[in-house]
């Protein structure tokens, strides 16, 4: 009998121990991973809330900033170069990109932006928990940054993967992108693409809620985060795209401060090497850099291959004339580099590559392009554009002059920018600096008067020069409905009409396969705008040197 | 019990109690199977238990009995009791009571009567199968057990072979069987994945969980194969279980054993490889020179150079005292120099390998009484090294003691300790180039791959150039090496309590701690240290600007490259430790009932909990001055550079595993004919998150067996068929999936962001992986049908098993919409089907008084196919490496780019993704149009087995053992390249290379591209890369290997008794003597071995002399 009792005791003991402590025992976190619960941990998490994908490659190839070197130029000369990545052929021809899901691909941009959004959403979830515990005051700045991250990344996604914002009514019919506000916890979740209008509304809400909470004192390295200037610069750009000009002026003015001239880049620093210029461009102490973002990108390697910023594209940006200069934009003069030949491999240290070695001997690692995502220059051009539409021409010209003056190089003579110079330069021989834009077709509420037009042309030209290789030109092409032409190889010319659905970059292939609604496409090869090449041509075989 | 009392009586009352007429008798008791004397056997007078004695240490007895006693009864635990008549010198031979001992299956949890066992399991006896001279016992399993494949991907001590029980069970998981040693699961000290196992990385040196076990201590292996056998381990047992039982003391046997093994390994020989000799090599260099590769200007700025680079260096070396140059710049002097090289024929194998003797000594003591049993052993293994810098010393100690506290309670204590110190050539980890999909290793000085890859024209005394710095392999091996120290300690205690008949309650507790220190010494004068100063010291502006190991300060616009290691070398240290604790309580209840006791019920239940903490710490000591008494000289720029390059000089990582399980199993048998087994287990682990749904998993098994030989009708076919058991089982077992997938909760990890400058760098927390609340165990359903058949009085035995497996919920890749932040996820979405058949045929071919011949043949065939996996695969993944997973194909499948011949320039041509013939237009990143690739086959063999024959003539035993493996393909070493250096050794295939137009009709070996061709076509490297991965560079991986020939001799009793010892055995064994069959295309490349450099070396051909002595 005694044995029986002992057995019973053991049994009861085991069951009671297990029911209470089994799950405690198994609650041990499996490794030394971090947890996100304190305000400091949330701040730390948001360091990773900036997208590491570089959308500039997709945007520049889609835009008129790049040409196909294998297509005959005005003299009939063309090259026989390999593209650095087959993806570039697809993107330049406005086809669905499927050759790569690695750096600089639509997949990388899509997941990069949504990863940043996921970081923000995880942070916001932790913030919400602290708020319910009554500790909301400790995480205000964190909340501000997280909301700005969420707004900005959706803003990028909607502008890349959807048609341009036209107005609230017209854009209600255009599919935008899914707006993510919750961390994903299941393997396969189906998302719906809400309309462009709805995406813009949500961005505006997050932006407005976040903007109030931004606090520069909270950041360790403010220039790599949504600081006050960067957040206001983003607001200015957002409202410019939304054509709410009064707000553009308000936010741009907050970002630029009392003396905008102090927020322009100092072009008189002499950099002895390409790499030192590249470092200088993204210097955090440079007054014009509002937000700096590091990306993983091979963009630098594109130069010297089949696609490049040459011929018309170069004339309109790096090497052409402007209202106050001839031949070559003074700031770029003497600072251009080339890979291969000057005829096809021109570039500028802005896209200097920073190599992160994972293996030195094999030369293996990640190429980084560091982006000056928001700058004083881009912001002042946003404000100038808003002034034009508010018919405050003198304010607009003052801003343009501030921009123009900043690019005067000591020792070189350059005229002072005046309204007269602008009007005379942009009324004659405008092409190839700025192409025709189709304001009427974009939005019924949107009209450009004759007096505004030359100024807008100037602004778009300045924006193109300023933001070369950043990818912003493509956004300008989209929002103005500018028609552009790509000569592709020796076989055909493709014209992208203002309402061509290919202006919305196709959603990444694997994402479509997972069930998301794809962008509609015309059958490209029967496009009546494609005309055969007739120019006589001379082929030059050259070596494309890869780094 | 009865015997105990007898023993007691014997000791207390003595032998003088009897009265009346007595007679003195003498005799000996021997063990029938071994012929050894039985110590402690009890001899009683039949009918009078009070008249008794026991045998002494020689098995002899002598006592006085009344003349009335006519018969004696001899008994001993575990032996059949025998009767004998009185008279003369009595010799009694006892035979083992097979019912009691032999027919037991050890599952590591419980011991089962084999007649009641329904699963597929194979037990092998260590004394018969262990290979002498191979200190890692897991390698001895090769070819021994049907369905267990052992692939020696590296032969270096401490590295684990790739072991599969019935093939792969997972796609990304490691499919490793669970090792159970003396009832406790041996956790791996570090988690080494399948690909890592063949990587040659230093961490593979501690990948074997059982390298600390002395082979001589092993009693037996039991391999549990099907779900019925393994289901008691449920959620860990998907890939099979290998149970090791170590030796323990036997009651009544006291023995001291000594084993000594002396092993000599043969050096590899160039005769077995098709490496060009120095004349052939020089011919190739001449062509390279004429094609513009070896010009003086080109060589001066190159990172690596050999003969030509050295020649130009000598031409440039001025001796001020003699006023001459080290080599005159005349055609004659240069030709002389090159001619010397041409006839040098350096034998790197001879220089880098030694024939030194490995010694292994083991001493054990075994003793026991009915009350207490004891086994203790120590062993020493000393391996001075097959190659330079590869020595090993291992010491083990093992104590196993059991004590019967009362007739109901017994206690068992086990301790196991080992210490190992090992030397290995300095190596860094393999790195994968994510851009080009190539696998590379920096500063590789593995002697084996050095001998294969370095030209035989090189002077072994001279210093050539690697990484812009002076390099000599012998200097490097002396100045750049790894010391590994492993300490392993296991303490284990068990308590058995039998409260009443039929019930056994067992408690087990074990703790194991292993710590490993890996120290990598990169001394001041090693090439690796000098590479960090090349161009600065000595000053050379060309080298300075090209050397990637120098540092250019990004904060300084005018900075020139400078060194961050101006003095000293580097001291790299990695410490790994594992703490493992296991507790288990089980109860077994056995009962028989029914009128004839024809119903038998065995019930078993228990709970266990396990805790495993793994820790790894790494540290980099830069500027350690080995030459200067070890004073560190640290340059501040190093830290600045590390900050900018996002490196850290130390790290500390922890991993915690917690698991708990409850399990129960019951077996019911009727008349020993029909057996039903039901097993269930409920397991939880912390790896699968906090969700109660995912973390807990029930697993189960249902099995039936039929002992047909117990049926009445069986007598009609007996003795032609003497034994027949049929069994079948259906089960669910599982595994935790690859250790890299841990996102049951979101994974946040601290990191330091990459930033262009140290001044703006920041630490942050990365959202490494988003939550997968659906993460769960990988699972397997298995249906097994088996038969055990015995023919002609069991002289021929056949065990056959056929199975089909459905592996589901496997971790696989899936593409999602990416809105959560991740497009490609790893989740439980894949599945895999596998089938197989395996059999073991054992026969006693000849059995006579003096001569015996027995053979064992094992055979297994297993195939698998991925039925569901939505991964995105590109060309490079499918054609390179160790095979890749693709839906519709086996788990590790290899594909090739179709090669169609050479063009009129001698460049290889292929069919590309668009179906066109091309030289360079191969898109390695292509992932849609994969149809052009040729499927070559799996890289894991489908057919494996072994064939062993043992011949015994009197005291001589000859063992010939052959293993075989078929059904897989092997990628030939990637030797072709668009550009070669003058340091490389090239294979003899190059003799037949394309040299002049028209050759393409006769040869498939591409030309050596000229510098002009290389400069003209930037894509030419694609052609050579594609050639390495083409149909021209594939071989059949099948082989038949003569694994073992051994001859042993037991010295006769006459001699041993004269020497006052019990037994003496001498054995000579040859291991891995030759491949009886292998694809000719392999040209000496071992199909089992992955030549990946680092610390990997193949299994050597070796001869072992073993001396065994029992006292």
């Amino acid at each position: 009998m005694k044995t029986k009792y002992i057995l019973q005791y053991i049994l009861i003991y085991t069951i009671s121990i297990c029911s209470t402590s089994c799950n405690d025992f198994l609650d041990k976190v499996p490794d030394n991973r971090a947890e996100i619960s304190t305000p400091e941990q949330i701040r730390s998490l948001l360091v990773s809330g900036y997208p590491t994908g570089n959308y500039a490659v997709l945007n520049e190839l889609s835009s008129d900033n790049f040409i196909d070197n294998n297509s005959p130029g005005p003299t009939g000369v063309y090259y026989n170069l390999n593209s650095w990545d087959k993806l570039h052929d697809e993107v330049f021809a406005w086809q669905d990109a499927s050759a790569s899901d690695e750096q600089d691909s639509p997949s990388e941009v899509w997941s990069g932006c949504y990863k940043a959004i996921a970081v923000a959403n995880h942070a916001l979830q932790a913030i919400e928990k602290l708020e319910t515990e009554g500790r909301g005051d400790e995480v205000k700045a964190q909340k501000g940054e997280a909301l700005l991250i969420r707004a900005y990344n959706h803003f990028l996604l909607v502008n890349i993967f959807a048609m341009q914002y036209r107005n609230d009514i017209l854009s209600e019919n255009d599919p935008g992108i899914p707006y993510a506000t919750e961390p994903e916890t299941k393997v396969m979740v189906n998302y719906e693409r809400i309309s462009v209008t709805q995406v813009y509304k949500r961005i505006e809400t997050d932006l407005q809620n976040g903007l109030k909470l931004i606090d520069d004192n909270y950041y360790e390295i403010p220039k790599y985060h949504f600081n006050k200037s960067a957040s206001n610069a983003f607001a200015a750009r957002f409202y410019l795209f939304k054509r709410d000009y009064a707000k553009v002026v308000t936010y741009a003015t907050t970002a630029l401060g009392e003396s905008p001239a102090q927020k322009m880049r100092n072009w008189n620093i002499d950099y002895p090497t390409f790499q030192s210029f590249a470092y200088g461009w993204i210097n955090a102490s440079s007054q014009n850099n509002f937000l700096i973002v590091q990306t993983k990108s091979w963009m630098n390697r594109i130069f010297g291959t089949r696609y490049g910023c040459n011929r018309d594209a170069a004339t309109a940006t790096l090497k052409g004339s402007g209202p106050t200069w001839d031949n070559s934009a003074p700031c770029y003069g003497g600072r251009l580099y080339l890979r291969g030949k000057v005829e096809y491999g021109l570039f500028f240290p802005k896209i200097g590559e920073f190599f992160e070695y994972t293996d030195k001997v094999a030369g293996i690692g990640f190429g980084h392009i560091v982006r000056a995502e928001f700058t004083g220059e881009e912001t002042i051009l946003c404000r100038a554009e808003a002034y034009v539409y508010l018919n405050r021409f003198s304010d607009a010209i003052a801003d343009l002059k501030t921009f123009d003056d900043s690019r005067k190089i000591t020792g070189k003579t350059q005229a002072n920018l005046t309204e007269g110079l602008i009007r005379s330069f942009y009324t004659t021989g405008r092409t190839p600096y700025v192409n025709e834009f189709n304001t009427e077709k974009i939005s019924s509420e949107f009209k450009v008067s004759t007096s505004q037009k030359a100024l807008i042309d100037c602004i778009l030209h300045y924006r193109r020069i300023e933001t070369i290789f950043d990818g912003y030109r493509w956004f300008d092409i989209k929002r103005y409905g500018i028609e552009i032409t790509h000569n592709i190889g020796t076989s055909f010319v493709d014209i992208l009409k203002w309402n061509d659905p290919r202006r919305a970059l196709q959603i990444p292939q694997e994402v479509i396969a997972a069930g998301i609604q794809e962008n509609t496409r015309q059958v490209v090869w029967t496009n009546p705008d494609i005309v055969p090449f007739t120019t006589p041509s001379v082929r030059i075989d050259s070596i494309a040197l890869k780094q | 019990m009865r015997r105990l009392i007898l023993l007691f009586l014997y000791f207390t009352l003595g032998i003088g109690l009897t009265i009346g007429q007595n007679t003195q008798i003498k005799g000996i008791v021997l063990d029938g199977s071994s012929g050894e004397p039985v110590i402690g056997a009890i001899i009683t007078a039949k009918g009078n238990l009070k008249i008794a004695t026991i045998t002494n240490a020689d098995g002899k007895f002598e006592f006085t009995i009344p003349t009335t006693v006519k018969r004696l009864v001899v008994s001993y635990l575990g032996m059949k009791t025998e009767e004998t008549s009185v008279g003369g010198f009595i010799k009694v031979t006892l035979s083992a009571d097979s019912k009691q001992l032999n027919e037991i299956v050890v599952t590591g949890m419980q011991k089962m009567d084999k007649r009641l066992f329904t699963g597929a399991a194979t037990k092998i006896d260590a004394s018969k199968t262990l290979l002498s001279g191979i200190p890692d016992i897991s390698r001895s399993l090769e070819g021994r057990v049907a369905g267990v494949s052992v692939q020696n991907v590296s032969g270096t001590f401490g590295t684990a072979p790739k072991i599969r029980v019935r093939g792969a069970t997972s796609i990304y998981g490691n499919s490793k069987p669970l090792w159970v040693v003396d009832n406790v699961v041996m956790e791996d000290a570090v988690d080494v994945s399948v690909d890592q196992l063949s990587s040659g990385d230093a961490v593979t040196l501690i990948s074997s969980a059982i390298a600390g076990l002395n082979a001589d201590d092993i009693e037996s292996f039991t391999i549990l194969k099907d779900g019925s056998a393994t289901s008691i381990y449920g959620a860990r047992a998907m890939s099979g279980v290998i149970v090791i039982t170590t030796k323990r003391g036997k009651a009544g046997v006291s023995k001291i054993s000594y084993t000594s093994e002396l092993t000599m390994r043969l050096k590899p020989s160039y005769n077995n490889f098709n490496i060009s000799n120095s004349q052939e090599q020089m011919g190739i260099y001449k062509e390279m020179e004429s094609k513009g590769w070896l010009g003086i200007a080109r060589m001066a700025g190159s990172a690596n150079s050999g003969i030509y680079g050295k020649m130009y260096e000598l031409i440039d070396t001025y001796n001020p005292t003699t006023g001459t140059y080290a080599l005159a710049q005349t055609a004659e002097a240069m030709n002389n120099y090159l001619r010397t090289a041409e006839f040098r024929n350096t034998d790197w194998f001879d220089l880098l390998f030694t024939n030194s003797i490995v010694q292994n000594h083991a001493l054990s003591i075994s003793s026991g009484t009915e009350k207490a049993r004891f086994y203790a052993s120590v062993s020493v293994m000393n391996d001075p090294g097959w190659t330079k810098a590869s020595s090993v010393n291992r010491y083990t100690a093992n104590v196993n003691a059991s004590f019967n506290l009362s007739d109901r309670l017994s206690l068992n204590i086990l301790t196991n300790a080992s210490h190992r110190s090992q030397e290995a050539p300095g190596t860094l980890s393999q790195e994968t180039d994510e851009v080009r999909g190539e696998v590379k290793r920096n500063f590789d000085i593995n002697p084996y791959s050095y001998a294969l890859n370095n030209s035989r024209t090189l002077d072994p005394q001279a210093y050539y150039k690697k990484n812009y710095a002076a390099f000599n392999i012998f200097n490097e091996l002396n100045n750049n090496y790894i010391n590994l120290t492993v300490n392993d300690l296991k303490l284990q205690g068990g308590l058995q309590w039998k409260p009443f008949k039929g019930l056994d309650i067992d408690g087990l507790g074990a703790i194991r701690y292993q710590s490993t220190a890996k120290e990598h010494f990169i001394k001041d004068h090693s090439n690796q240290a000098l590479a960090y100063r090349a161009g600065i010291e000595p000053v050379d502006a060309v080298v300075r600007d090209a050397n990637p190991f120098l540092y250019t300060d990004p904060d300084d616009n005018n900075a020139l490259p400078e060194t961050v290691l101006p003095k000293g070398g580097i001291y790299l240290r990695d410490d790994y430790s594992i703490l493992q604790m296991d507790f288990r309580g089980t109860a077994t209840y056995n009962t028989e009932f029914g009128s004839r006791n024809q119903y038998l019920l065995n019930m078993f239940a228990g709970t266990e909990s396990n805790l495993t903490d793994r820790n790894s710490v790494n540290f980099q000591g830069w500027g350690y001055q080995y030459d200067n008494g070890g004073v560190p000289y640290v340059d501040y720029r190093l830290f600045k550079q590390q900050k900018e390059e996002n490196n850290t000089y130390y790290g500390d990582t922890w991993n915690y595993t917690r698991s708990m399980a409850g399990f129960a199993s019951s077996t019911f048998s009727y008349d020993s004919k029909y057996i039903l087994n039901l097993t269930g287990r409920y397991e939880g682990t912390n790896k699968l998150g906090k969700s109660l749904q995912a973390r807990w998993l029930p697993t189960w098994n249902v099995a039936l067996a039929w002992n047909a030989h117990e049926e009445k009708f069986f007598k009609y076919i007996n003795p032609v068929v003497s034994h027949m058991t049929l069994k079948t089982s259906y089960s669910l077992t599982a595994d935790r999936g690859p250790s890299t997938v841990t996102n049951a909760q979101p994974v946040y990890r601290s990191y330091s962001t990459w930033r262009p400058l140290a001044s703006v760098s920041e630490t942050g927390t990365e959202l490494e992986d988003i939550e997968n609340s659906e993460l769960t165990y990988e699972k397997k359903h298995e249906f097994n049908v088996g038969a055990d058949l015995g023919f002609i009085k069991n002289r021929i035995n056949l065990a056959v098993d056929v199975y089909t497996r459905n592996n589901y919920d496997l971790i696989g890749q899936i593409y999602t919409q990416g809105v959560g932040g991740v497009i490609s996820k790893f989740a439980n979405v894949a599945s895999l089907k596998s089938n197989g058949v395996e059999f073991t045929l054992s026969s006693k071919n000849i059995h006579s008084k003096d001569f015996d011949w027995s053979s064992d043949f094992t055979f297994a065939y297993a195939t698998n196919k991925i039925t569901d996996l939505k991964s995105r695969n590109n060309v490079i993944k499918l054609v390179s490496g160790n095979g890749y997973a693709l839906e519709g194909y086996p788990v590790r499948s290899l594909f090739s780019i179709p090669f169609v011949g050479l063009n009129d320039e001698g460049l290889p041509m292929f069919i590309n993704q668009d179906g066109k013939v091309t030289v360079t237009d191969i898109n390695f990143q292509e992932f849609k149009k994969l149809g052009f690739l040729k499927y070559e086959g799996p890289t894991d063999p489908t057919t494996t087995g072994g064939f062993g024959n043992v011949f015994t003539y009197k005291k001589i035993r000859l063992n010939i053992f052959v293993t075989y493996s078929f059904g897989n393909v092997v990628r030939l070493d990637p030797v072709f390249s668009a550009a070669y250096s003058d340091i490389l050794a090239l294979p003899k295939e190059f003799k037949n290379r394309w040299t002049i137009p028209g050759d393409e009709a006769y040869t498939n070996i591409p030309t050596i591209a000229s510098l002009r061709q290389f400069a003209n076509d930037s894509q030419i490297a694609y052609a050579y890369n594609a050639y390495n991965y083409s149909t021209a560079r594939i071989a059949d991986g099948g082989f038949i290997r003569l694994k073992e020939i051994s001859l042993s001799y037991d010295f006769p009793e006459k001699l041993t008794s004269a020497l006052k010892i019990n037994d003496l055995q001498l054995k000579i064994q040859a291991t891995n003597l030759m491949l009886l069959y292998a694809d000719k295309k392999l040209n000496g490349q071992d199909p089992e071995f992955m030549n990946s450099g680092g610390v990997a070396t193949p299994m050597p051909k070796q001869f072992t002399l073993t001396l065994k002595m029992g006292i």
Side-chain angles (χ1 to χ4, degrees), chain A residues 146-216:
Chain A
L147 288 170
L148 258 297
I149 287 170
R150 191 159 81 180
Y152 183 62
N153 283 286
H154 281 113
F155 178 72
L156 286 179
L157 285 163
V158 75
N159 277 294
I160 294 166
F161 293 102
M163 293 299 278
Q164 60 272 23
Y165 174 85
R166 295 153 80 192
N167 64 36
D168 276 358
I169 297 149
L170 290 171
S171 289
E172 196 60 71
N173 298 321
D174 288 330
I177 41 115
Y179 203 93
T181 52
E182 293 286 325
E184 187 176 281
T185 59
K186 297 256 193 275
V187 176
M188 198 54 148
V189 183
N190 281 308
Y191 292 93
E192 204 194 329
R193 293 177 65 179
I194 54 172
S195 70
V196 173
T197 307
Q198 291 306 317
V199 174
Y200 265 71
K201 282 192 172 154
R202 294 204 187 186
I203 293 169
E204 188 170 7
T205 311
D206 279 348
L207 172 63
Q208 288 298 343
N209 290 339
L211 211 48
K212 294 180 285 211
L213 302 171
I214 293 295
D215 175 6
D216 282 1

Side-chain angles (χ1 to χ4, degrees), chain B residues 2 21 95 386 509 526 723 843 991 1007 1022 1072:
Chain B
R2 199 184 50 164
Q21 266 192 305
S95 60
W386 188 32
S526 67
H723 172 96
S843 62
K991 250 196 221 167
T1007 186
Y1022 280 68
N1072 288 324

